[in-house]
Amino acid sequence: ADAVRPGLSFAQARETAMLYFIGVGLGDERDITLKGLDAVKGSARVYLESYTSILPGVDKSALEALYGKTIEVADREFVEERAGEIVDGADGEDVSFLVVGDPFGATTHTDLWVRARKQGVPVRVIHNASIMNAIGACGLQLYRYGEAISIAFFTESWRPDSWYEKIASNLKAGLHTLCLLDIKVKEPSLEALARGKKVYEPPRFMTIQQGIDQLLEVEGRKKAGLFSEDTLCVGVARLGQEKQVIAAGPMKQLREYDFGPPLHSLVIPGTMHFLEEEILSEFRVDKG
Protein backbone atom coordinates (compact mmCIF):
# COMPACT_ATOMS: atom_id res chain seq x y z
CA ALA A 1 0.00 0.00 0.00
CA ASP A 2 1.66 3.19 -1.15
CA ALA A 3 0.66 6.81 -0.79
CA VAL A 4 2.62 9.63 -2.34
CA ARG A 5 2.58 13.40 -2.21
CA PRO A 6 -0.26 14.73 -4.41
CA GLY A 7 1.01 15.65 -7.87
CA LEU A 8 3.98 13.25 -7.77
CA SER A 9 4.17 9.76 -9.22
CA PHE A 10 5.41 7.07 -6.84
CA ALA A 11 8.69 6.86 -8.77
CA GLN A 12 9.22 10.60 -8.30
CA ALA A 13 8.25 10.41 -4.64
CA ARG A 14 10.89 7.74 -4.02
CA GLU A 15 13.49 10.33 -4.97
CA THR A 16 12.32 12.36 -2.00
CA ALA A 17 12.23 11.40 1.67
CA MET A 18 9.65 8.91 2.90
CA LEU A 19 7.91 7.87 6.11
CA TYR A 20 7.74 4.07 6.19
CA PHE A 21 5.26 2.06 8.21
CA ILE A 22 6.87 -1.38 8.43
CA GLY A 23 5.38 -4.56 9.85
CA VAL A 24 7.98 -6.75 11.54
CA GLY A 25 5.80 -9.85 11.82
CA LEU A 26 5.12 -12.06 14.82
CA GLY A 27 8.21 -14.18 15.40
CA ASP A 28 11.50 -12.42 15.97
CA GLU A 29 13.83 -9.86 14.42
CA ARG A 30 14.24 -12.06 11.31
CA ASP A 31 10.57 -11.87 10.34
CA ILE A 32 10.94 -8.45 8.73
CA THR A 33 10.64 -8.60 4.92
CA LEU A 34 13.62 -7.87 2.69
CA LYS A 35 11.80 -4.79 1.42
CA GLY A 36 11.23 -3.64 5.00
CA LEU A 37 14.85 -4.27 5.92
CA ASP A 38 16.04 -2.20 2.95
CA ALA A 39 13.82 0.68 4.11
CA VAL A 40 15.12 0.48 7.68
CA LYS A 41 18.76 0.43 6.56
CA GLY A 42 18.15 3.54 4.47
CA SER A 43 16.38 5.48 7.23
CA ALA A 44 17.88 8.26 9.29
CA ARG A 45 15.55 7.54 12.22
CA VAL A 46 13.89 4.27 13.28
CA TYR A 47 11.10 3.90 15.84
CA LEU A 48 9.60 0.71 17.29
CA GLU A 49 6.00 0.92 18.49
CA SER A 50 5.83 -1.04 21.74
CA TYR A 51 2.37 -0.85 23.28
CA THR A 52 -0.21 -2.43 20.94
CA SER A 53 1.90 -5.60 20.77
CA ILE A 54 5.35 -6.98 21.51
CA LEU A 55 7.72 -9.62 20.18
CA PRO A 56 7.84 -11.93 23.23
CA GLY A 57 11.37 -12.70 24.32
CA VAL A 58 12.95 -10.45 21.68
CA ASP A 59 14.98 -7.53 22.99
CA LYS A 60 15.36 -4.26 21.09
CA SER A 61 19.10 -4.91 20.88
CA ALA A 62 18.43 -8.00 18.72
CA LEU A 63 16.61 -5.83 16.18
CA GLU A 64 19.37 -3.21 16.28
CA ALA A 65 22.06 -5.84 15.70
CA LEU A 66 20.34 -7.29 12.61
CA TYR A 67 19.06 -4.02 11.18
CA GLY A 68 22.27 -2.11 11.80
CA LYS A 69 20.37 0.85 13.25
CA THR A 70 19.74 2.50 16.60
CA ILE A 71 16.03 2.08 17.40
CA GLU A 72 13.99 4.39 19.61
CA VAL A 73 11.14 2.67 21.42
CA ALA A 74 7.85 4.51 20.93
CA ASP A 75 5.54 3.61 23.80
CA ARG A 76 1.91 4.71 24.18
CA GLU A 77 2.88 8.06 25.72
CA PHE A 78 5.35 8.78 22.94
CA VAL A 79 3.01 7.89 20.06
CA GLU A 80 -0.04 9.65 21.47
CA GLU A 81 1.69 12.79 22.78
CA ARG A 82 4.80 13.18 20.62
CA ALA A 83 3.71 11.74 17.28
CA GLY A 84 4.81 14.96 15.61
CA GLU A 85 8.43 14.05 16.31
CA ILE A 86 8.06 10.95 14.14
CA VAL A 87 6.52 12.85 11.23
CA ASP A 88 8.51 16.08 11.52
CA GLY A 89 11.48 15.99 9.21
CA ALA A 90 10.28 12.92 7.32
CA ASP A 91 9.93 15.15 4.28
CA GLY A 92 13.69 15.69 4.46
CA GLU A 93 14.97 12.24 5.45
CA ASP A 94 13.66 8.67 5.46
CA VAL A 95 12.02 7.62 8.73
CA SER A 96 10.87 4.09 9.63
CA PHE A 97 8.09 3.30 12.10
CA LEU A 98 8.21 -0.39 13.02
CA VAL A 99 5.09 -2.20 14.18
CA VAL A 100 4.82 -5.75 15.53
CA GLY A 101 2.57 -7.70 13.17
CA ASP A 102 1.15 -5.45 10.44
CA PRO A 103 1.18 -1.62 10.49
CA PHE A 104 -2.59 -1.28 10.28
CA GLY A 105 -3.33 -3.63 13.16
CA ALA A 106 -4.15 -0.68 15.46
CA THR A 107 -5.99 2.60 14.92
CA THR A 108 -3.12 4.64 16.39
CA HIS A 109 -1.03 3.83 13.35
CA THR A 110 -3.81 5.02 11.05
CA ASP A 111 -3.84 8.32 12.96
CA LEU A 112 -0.12 8.70 12.37
CA TRP A 113 -0.58 7.93 8.65
CA VAL A 114 -3.25 10.64 8.38
CA ARG A 115 -1.03 13.16 10.20
CA ALA A 116 1.79 12.50 7.74
CA ARG A 117 -0.48 12.83 4.73
CA LYS A 118 -1.89 16.14 5.97
CA GLN A 119 1.66 17.45 6.33
CA GLY A 120 2.41 16.42 2.76
CA VAL A 121 4.88 13.71 3.81
CA PRO A 122 5.07 10.76 1.38
CA VAL A 123 4.13 7.51 3.11
CA ARG A 124 4.77 3.90 2.25
CA VAL A 125 3.36 0.85 4.06
CA ILE A 126 5.26 -2.45 4.02
CA HIS A 127 3.00 -5.21 5.27
CA ASN A 128 3.72 -8.37 7.24
CA ALA A 129 1.95 -11.24 9.00
CA SER A 130 -0.34 -10.32 11.90
CA ILE A 131 -2.61 -12.14 14.32
CA MET A 132 -5.48 -11.31 11.95
CA ASN A 133 -4.22 -13.69 9.28
CA ALA A 134 -1.89 -16.01 11.21
CA ILE A 135 -4.86 -17.16 13.30
CA GLY A 136 -5.70 -19.35 10.30
CA ALA A 137 -3.08 -21.74 11.71
CA CYS A 138 -5.68 -23.09 14.14
CA GLY A 139 -7.66 -24.55 11.22
CA LEU A 140 -10.66 -22.21 11.25
CA GLN A 141 -10.99 -20.64 7.81
CA LEU A 142 -10.22 -16.92 7.71
CA TYR A 143 -13.21 -15.92 5.59
CA ARG A 144 -15.53 -17.42 8.22
CA TYR A 145 -14.49 -14.96 10.94
CA GLY A 146 -16.75 -12.12 12.02
CA GLU A 147 -15.75 -8.94 13.85
CA ALA A 148 -12.74 -9.36 16.12
CA ILE A 149 -13.08 -8.14 19.70
CA SER A 150 -10.70 -6.81 22.35
CA ILE A 151 -11.09 -7.92 25.96
CA ALA A 152 -9.66 -5.36 28.38
CA PHE A 153 -8.51 -6.09 31.91
CA PHE A 154 -11.35 -5.58 34.39
CA THR A 155 -10.81 -3.24 37.31
CA GLU A 156 -12.85 -2.78 40.47
CA SER A 157 -14.78 0.11 38.91
CA TRP A 158 -14.58 -0.67 35.18
CA ARG A 159 -15.79 -3.96 33.71
CA PRO A 160 -16.49 -3.28 30.02
CA ASP A 161 -18.62 -5.79 28.14
CA SER A 162 -19.61 -4.09 24.86
CA TRP A 163 -17.90 -6.98 23.05
CA TYR A 164 -20.63 -9.36 24.24
CA GLU A 165 -23.09 -8.11 21.62
CA LYS A 166 -20.43 -8.47 18.92
CA ILE A 167 -19.90 -12.12 19.84
CA ALA A 168 -23.67 -12.60 19.76
CA SER A 169 -23.84 -11.10 16.28
CA ASN A 170 -21.00 -13.29 15.03
CA LEU A 171 -22.53 -16.46 16.46
CA LYS A 172 -25.94 -15.63 15.01
CA ALA A 173 -24.29 -15.44 11.58
CA GLY A 174 -22.35 -18.66 12.21
CA LEU A 175 -19.02 -16.81 12.27
CA HIS A 176 -15.95 -17.31 14.43
CA THR A 177 -14.79 -14.63 16.88
CA LEU A 178 -11.13 -13.76 17.46
CA CYS A 179 -10.69 -12.38 20.98
CA LEU A 180 -7.63 -10.16 21.34
CA LEU A 181 -6.51 -10.17 24.96
CA ASP A 182 -5.32 -7.03 26.71
CA ILE A 183 -1.71 -6.01 27.24
CA LYS A 184 -0.54 -3.25 29.55
CA VAL A 185 2.93 -1.87 28.86
CA LYS A 186 4.23 1.25 30.61
CA GLU A 187 0.80 2.15 31.97
CA PRO A 188 0.82 5.03 34.48
CA SER A 189 -0.31 4.24 38.01
CA LEU A 190 -3.58 6.06 38.66
CA GLU A 191 -2.79 6.19 42.37
CA ALA A 192 0.55 7.86 41.67
CA LEU A 193 -1.04 10.30 39.19
CA ALA A 194 -3.51 11.32 41.88
CA ARG A 195 -0.50 12.33 43.99
CA GLY A 196 1.00 14.28 41.10
CA LYS A 197 3.66 11.70 40.32
CA LYS A 198 4.21 9.64 37.18
CA VAL A 199 4.94 6.04 38.14
CA TYR A 200 4.43 3.14 35.74
CA GLU A 201 2.77 -0.16 36.52
CA PRO A 202 4.67 -3.41 35.80
CA PRO A 203 3.81 -4.87 32.37
CA ARG A 204 0.78 -7.16 32.32
CA PHE A 205 -0.42 -9.53 29.63
CA MET A 206 -3.86 -11.12 29.81
CA THR A 207 -3.79 -14.91 29.78
CA ILE A 208 -6.32 -17.19 28.13
CA GLN A 209 -7.45 -18.22 31.60
CA GLN A 210 -8.13 -14.60 32.57
CA GLY A 211 -9.92 -13.98 29.28
CA ILE A 212 -12.20 -16.98 29.83
CA ASP A 213 -12.91 -15.87 33.40
CA GLN A 214 -14.05 -12.46 32.15
CA LEU A 215 -16.12 -13.98 29.34
CA LEU A 216 -17.94 -16.22 31.81
CA GLU A 217 -18.42 -13.38 34.30
CA VAL A 218 -20.18 -11.29 31.64
CA GLU A 219 -22.22 -14.29 30.49
CA GLY A 220 -23.31 -14.66 34.11
CA ARG A 221 -24.62 -11.08 34.05
CA LYS A 222 -26.14 -11.11 30.55
CA LYS A 223 -27.55 -14.65 30.70
CA ALA A 224 -28.09 -14.83 26.92
CA GLY A 225 -26.62 -18.32 26.71
CA LEU A 226 -23.86 -17.46 24.25
CA PHE A 227 -21.32 -19.70 25.95
CA SER A 228 -20.60 -21.69 29.08
CA GLU A 229 -17.76 -23.67 30.63
CA ASP A 230 -18.55 -26.41 28.10
CA THR A 231 -18.22 -24.18 25.02
CA LEU A 232 -15.50 -25.27 22.61
CA CYS A 233 -12.80 -22.61 22.17
CA VAL A 234 -9.31 -22.37 20.75
CA GLY A 235 -6.44 -20.86 22.70
CA VAL A 236 -3.28 -19.69 20.92
CA ALA A 237 -0.05 -18.47 22.47
CA ARG A 238 2.99 -16.83 20.84
CA LEU A 239 1.48 -17.32 17.39
CA GLY A 240 4.12 -17.14 14.67
CA GLN A 241 6.97 -18.08 16.99
CA GLU A 242 8.86 -21.36 17.05
CA LYS A 243 7.27 -22.28 20.38
CA GLN A 244 3.72 -21.31 19.47
CA VAL A 245 0.92 -23.23 21.18
CA ILE A 246 -2.54 -24.01 19.76
CA ALA A 247 -4.99 -25.90 21.95
CA ALA A 248 -8.73 -26.53 21.55
CA GLY A 249 -11.23 -27.70 24.10
CA PRO A 250 -14.08 -26.63 26.38
CA MET A 251 -13.51 -23.42 28.29
CA LYS A 252 -13.20 -25.35 31.55
CA GLN A 253 -10.32 -27.40 30.12
CA LEU A 254 -8.53 -24.42 28.58
CA ARG A 255 -8.74 -22.71 31.98
CA GLU A 256 -6.46 -25.44 33.34
CA TYR A 257 -4.16 -25.74 30.33
CA ASP A 258 -0.64 -24.32 30.54
CA PHE A 259 -0.20 -22.05 27.52
CA GLY A 260 3.10 -20.66 28.78
CA PRO A 261 4.34 -17.07 28.37
CA PRO A 262 2.50 -14.30 26.43
CA LEU A 263 1.09 -13.26 24.06
CA HIS A 264 -2.25 -15.12 24.26
CA SER A 265 -5.40 -14.95 22.11
CA LEU A 266 -8.68 -16.87 22.10
CA VAL A 267 -11.11 -17.95 19.41
CA ILE A 268 -14.80 -18.73 19.92
CA PRO A 269 -15.84 -20.87 16.93
CA GLY A 270 -19.10 -20.30 15.12
CA THR A 271 -20.67 -22.91 12.84
CA MET A 272 -17.87 -25.13 11.60
CA HIS A 273 -17.36 -26.83 8.25
CA PHE A 274 -16.50 -30.53 8.61
CA LEU A 275 -12.96 -29.81 7.42
CA GLU A 276 -12.55 -27.17 10.13
CA GLU A 277 -13.75 -29.69 12.71
CA GLU A 278 -11.28 -32.27 11.42
CA ILE A 279 -8.32 -29.89 11.62
CA LEU A 280 -9.37 -28.54 15.01
CA SER A 281 -9.56 -32.08 16.36
CA GLU A 282 -5.78 -32.28 15.93
CA PHE A 283 -5.40 -29.54 18.53
CA ARG A 284 -7.80 -30.96 21.14
CA VAL A 285 -6.30 -30.94 24.62
CA ASP A 286 -8.11 -34.22 25.36
CA LYS A 287 -6.91 -35.89 22.15
CA GLY A 288 -5.94 -39.42 22.99
Side-chain angles (χ1 to χ4, degrees):
D2 301 312
V4 301
R5 182 178 292 143
L8 293 180
S9 70
F10 180 67
Q12 289 172 318
R14 280 303 294 121
E15 297 175 3
T16 71
M18 185 79 66
L19 173 60
Y20 290 97
F21 288 77
I22 303 173
V24 297
L26 299 171
D28 56 30
E29 68 277 10
R30 296 169 297 169
D31 277 21
I32 192 170
T33 65
L34 292 176
K35 189 178 293 183
L37 186 58
D38 285 344
V40 169
K41 288 182 177 294
S43 293
R45 290 179 287 139
V46 182
Y47 299 91
L48 173 65
E49 187 270 296
S50 67
Y51 73 89
T52 60
S53 190
I54 61 165
L55 288 175
V58 180
D59 189 78
K60 176 174 74 85
S61 61
L63 278 70
E64 291 178 326
L66 179 63
Y67 302 167
K69 288 287 181 178
T70 298
I71 297 174
E72 181 167 1
V73 174
D75 55 31
R76 179 187 295 273
E77 184 178 280
F78 187 103
V79 175
E80 293 184 349
E81 297 179 10
R82 298 165 55 196
E85 295 182 27
I86 299 173
V87 178
D88 291 345
D91 58 350
E93 60 185 10
D94 283 352
V95 175
S96 287
F97 184 69
L98 309 182
V99 179
V100 175
D102 187 80
F104 286 144
T107 54
T108 297
H109 312 141
T110 306
D111 292 342
L112 195 60
W113 184 94
V114 171
R115 179 192 290 261
R117 290 285 290 163
K118 287 183 176 179
Q119 290 184 212
V121 174
V123 178
R124 185 172 189 190
V125 179
I126 301 176
H127 296 282
N128 210 316
S130 77
I131 184 68
M132 303 301 287
N133 56 15
I135 194 62
C138 76
L140 299 178
Q141 297 165 4
L142 289 178
Y143 65 87
R144 295 176 59 83
Y145 278 80
E147 184 176 357
I149 67 163
S150 297
I151 301 179
F153 277 113
F154 284 172
T155 67
E156 289 298 321
S157 59
W158 188 61
R159 307 179 92 74
D161 57 17
S162 59
W163 40 257
Y164 188 84
E165 283 67 32
K166 296 177 182 178
I167 297 175
S169 178
N170 286 345
L171 291 175
K172 184 177 180 180
L175 302 175
H176 315 312
T177 304
L178 170 61
C179 306
L180 302 173
L181 306 183
D182 201 6
I183 74 170
K184 299 289 188 186
V185 179
K186 202 175 179 182
E187 292 284 326
S189 164
L190 296 180
E191 183 179 336
L193 284 177
R195 298 198 304 267
K197 298 180 179 179
K198 183 169 283 189
V199 178
Y200 297 103
E201 301 279 3
R204 289 192 296 154
F205 307 94
M206 185 180 289
T207 65
I208 287 163
Q209 290 81 359
Q210 290 171 315
I212 289 174
D213 286 344
Q214 294 192 185
L215 284 165
L216 292 175
E217 177 183 321
V218 173
E219 175 61 51
R221 293 201 303 266
K222 301 283 189 177
K223 302 186 186 302
L226 296 189
F227 37 79
S228 70
E229 286 190 334
D230 296 316
T231 297
L232 174 67
C233 289
V234 188
V236 298
R238 300 171 304 286
L239 193 59
Q241 298 204 333
E242 290 186 9
K243 294 184 178 180
Q244 74 176 24
V245 173
I246 302 174
M251 284 187 176
K252 61 186 175 185
Q253 288 187 356
L254 296 189
R255 264 175 156 175
E256 306 300 322
Y257 191 80
D258 181 11
F259 284 92
L263 297 172
H264 292 188
S265 299
L266 184 71
V267 179
I268 302 173
T271 304
M272 288 189 286
H273 184 272
F274 71 87
L275 185 57
E276 291 178 300
E277 293 179 339
E278 183 177 352
I279 297 174
L280 207 57
S281 69
E282 294 298 313
F283 297 114
R284 294 282 303 216
V285 295
D286 54 4
K287 181 175 168 48

